[in-house]
Amino acid sequence: MRHVAIVGSGPAGYYTAETLQKADDIAVDVIDRLPVPYGLIRTGVAPDHQSIKAVSRRYEGTALTDNVRFVGHVSVGSDVTIDELVGLYDAVILATGAPNDRPLDIPGADLGGVIGSAAFVGWYNGHPDFADLDPPLGAPGVAVIGNGNVALDVARILAKTPQEFGGSDIVAHARDALAASAVRHIQILGRRGPHQIAMTPKELGELGHLERASPRVDPADLPPEGDDAMLEPGMRKSVTHLRGFAANPVAKPVTIDFDFFAMPVAIEGDGKVQRVIVERTTLDADLRSHGTGETYAVDAGLVISCIGYQTPPIPGVPYEHGRGRFASDDGRILPGLYAVGWARRGPSGTIGTNKPDGARIGEMVLEDIGRGAGKAGRPGLDALLASRDVVPVTFRDWRRIEEAEVAAALDGNPREKFTSIEAMLQATGR
Ligand code: NAP
């Protein structure tokens, strides 16, 4: 029997498990520190994007195969160490994602009301780590830093009416706080231009169909239309949306302004954020942004920095600090230790990008471990955890949690999530 442990039950973890479980004589343990599976599908993908979240049904199919087991509420690093796992399993695959925000390294970034997207997204998605975030929504202005899809998610969620959350699984604390929000002006700050955005067309197009909010683009920021021809097709579609927003400004009570060539250089306020100082930029021949010295202020009672994520390092595991991911040779970190997904390649691509990644790392592991080295595997982990009084949450337990969440859903919504680990454990009925 061959034994493989996957640390992290998000998309990268389950796509890898899907490939591994097709092999003979293999037992795969998918370990997660939360009592609930699916990682970013549950706590990262926006609550109003249920069609993307539906992929969890596929992961459930993998989780329910005989040779795959969910080991929830077990923290690698405290309940069990990486070295112990490497001793117990033929291969250990880190699928831990990139849950930490890249730091916003400007003066004032530590003021109250300056929040990273991991925290804000975790808050509206009910991640237990961020359930108590209580973001300040009492001022009309919000600055959203970054020109990626996360910035779009954040702006859209801030702009939606309570009715527009119908059919979503946004959690009650966020639903209530957003319904009472005073936010009226959302400013998306991009340090480069419309041709350098990292926003996909479907997500950008959604901003044009909001009930009470409308996107605004300054036509002067757009390059000549003929230049769009050199863009790849997806990017061209995105830029076409921006051109549409610029050409047809619609008056609605909430505005979402795209400030291009706008680099935040400082955040100011008396104890908490009141304004962002933004420097106008130009691009050099390599399309890098440079400050022009000209600055302006954006009034904001909340700043959400959406500038990318990083994987938290694990002591003893080689790490690339510049890239915020584990150091690996295309997935192989050390003998018996691998990385997959964002933990391997950094925070880029969509959920689907993890499918070929998981398949490839799964095949690589199968080839490397051969018939296995007679390691203790599952029974070994169970004995170790029992000796430490750690009781893992099983997939059956998770389904009880899920049933309770579905039963508590508002009419038309898929679920009402538990937002604390205690409540999740209680729902297992153990
Ligand atoms: P991202 O796509 O890497 O975008 C990060 C943005 O932050 C870029 O515009 C970048 O600008 C900017 N930035 C970086 N450092 C900055 C700084 N110091 N100051 C100002 N701006 C800075 O990251 P993301 O939005 O977090 O998304 C992560 C991944 O998840 C992406 O692959 C994304 O497509 C995916 N995602 C997909 C969906 C979806 O499909 N619906 C939803 C959410 C996320 P530069 O280009 O100038 O560096």
Side-chain angles (χ1 to χ4, degrees):
M1 179 64 86
R2 305 175 274 185
H3 296 280
V4 178
I6 297 173
V7 184
S9 67
Y14 271 117
Y15 281 124
T16 309
E18 184 180 310
T19 292
L20 289 170
Q21 60 84 21
K22 290 179 189 149
D24 297 327
D25 296 327
I26 195 160
V28 181
D29 280 353
V30 180
I31 304 172
D32 204 291
R33 78 183 174 91
L34 291 182
V36 292
Y38 308 141
L40 264 199
I41 296 295
R42 180 177 167 103
T43 60
V45 171
D48 56 346
H49 281 174
Q50 288 298 316
S51 59
I52 301 180
K53 286 186 190 258
V55 73
S56 61
R57 289 290 157 226
R58 179 176 179 142
Y59 308 152
E60 184 180 69
T62 298
L64 289 172
T65 53
D66 287 344
N67 48 5
V68 176
R69 181 175 79 150
F70 176 65
V71 185
H73 199 219
V74 170
S75 285
V76 174
S78 51
D79 292 328
V80 56
T81 66
I82 288 283
D83 284 350
E84 286 167 338
L85 289 179
V86 170
L88 288 169
Y89 291 84
D90 293 301
V92 176
I93 305 171
L94 301 178
T96 47
N100 290 3
D101 285 301
R102 282 188 51 203
L104 179 67
D105 203 11
I106 57 175
D110 54 350
L111 280 172
V114 183
I115 292 173
S117 55
F120 189 70
V121 171
W123 171 74
Y124 63 62
N125 263 324
H127 192 300
D129 288 357
F130 305 109
D132 297 330
L133 183 73
D134 196 16
L137 298 168
V142 176
V144 176
I145 304 175
N147 265 181
N149 279 329
V150 171
L152 285 181
D153 279 349
V154 162
R156 187 182 70 254
I157 295 292
L158 283 167
K160 277 196 163 181
T161 61
Q163 293 72 28
E164 285 174 292
F165 287 118
S168 81
D169 65 353
I170 191 164
V171 293
H173 62 231
R175 202 166 50 226
D176 294 346
L178 289 165
S181 153
V183 171
R184 295 296 175 267
H185 309 296
I186 300 160
Q187 223 136 340
I188 301 180
L189 305 173
R191 61 182 171 181
R192 300 193 290 158
H195 273 195
Q196 286 76 42
I197 55 172
M199 298 166 165
T200 44
K202 180 176 161 286
E203 284 64 27
L204 197 48
E206 280 177 273
L207 290 195
H209 302 284
L210 297 175
E211 230 168 82
R212 64 165 181 183
S214 64
R216 300 194 303 193
V217 170
D218 181 349
D221 283 339
L222 290 163
E225 204 162 339
D227 292 3
D228 293 2
M230 61 188 163
L231 299 173
E232 61 85 18
M235 186 64 178
R236 202 178 312 138
K237 270 193 198 161
S238 289
V239 173
T240 301
H241 281 304
L242 293 177
R243 292 193 186 281
F245 300 158
N248 308 300
V250 183
K252 289 191 185 174
V254 175
T255 53
I256 302 173
D257 281 295
F258 284 83
D259 279 20
F260 292 110
F261 307 106
M263 175 72 183
V265 288
I267 299 174
E268 296 178 350
D270 193 4
K272 59 183 185 51
V273 55
Q274 288 169 305
R275 72 196 77 81
V276 182
I277 306 302
V278 179
E279 183 173 10
R280 293 196 189 279
T281 65
T282 53
L283 302 189
D284 64 19
D286 294 324
L287 302 176
R288 279 186 304 236
S289 59
H290 297 275
T292 59
E294 188 193 340
T295 61
Y296 64 99
V298 170
D299 289 336
L302 169 64
V303 174
I304 304 171
S305 154
C306 310
I307 61 169
Y309 297 116
Q310 49 194 17
T311 298
I314 298 177
V317 179
Y319 188 80
E320 273 184 67
H321 282 277
R323 310 286 292 267
R325 63 186 189 190
F326 294 118
S328 77
D329 179 7
D330 210 20
R332 294 184 179 93
I333 303 178
L334 291 170
L337 187 63
Y338 300 79
V340 69
W342 280 8
R344 181 185 76 78
R345 48 173 219 278
S348 65
T350 60
I351 301 295
T353 315
N354 294 296
K355 195 174 157 202
D357 200 5
R360 207 175 54 78
I361 298 298
E363 298 291 350
M364 176 192 280
V365 166
L366 287 173
E367 205 176 301
D368 284 359
I369 65 178
R371 301 173 66 86
K375 296 227 181 174
R378 261 180 204 184
L381 178 69
D382 290 349
L384 189 69
L385 293 177
S387 74
R388 291 172 184 166
D389 293 328
V390 176
V391 183
V393 166
T394 64
F395 202 75
R396 185 183 293 240
D397 292 332
W398 148 244
R399 294 185 95 185
R400 289 205 189 94
I401 299 173
E402 190 181 32
E403 271 168 29
E405 291 188 337
V406 170
L410 294 182
D411 255 3
N413 287 7
R415 65 188 66 77
E416 185 64 55
K417 288 180 197 167
F418 293 111
T419 61
S420 77
I421 289 181
E422 295 70 31
M424 292 170 186
L425 294 178
Q426 208 173 359
T428 65
R430 298 189 320 198

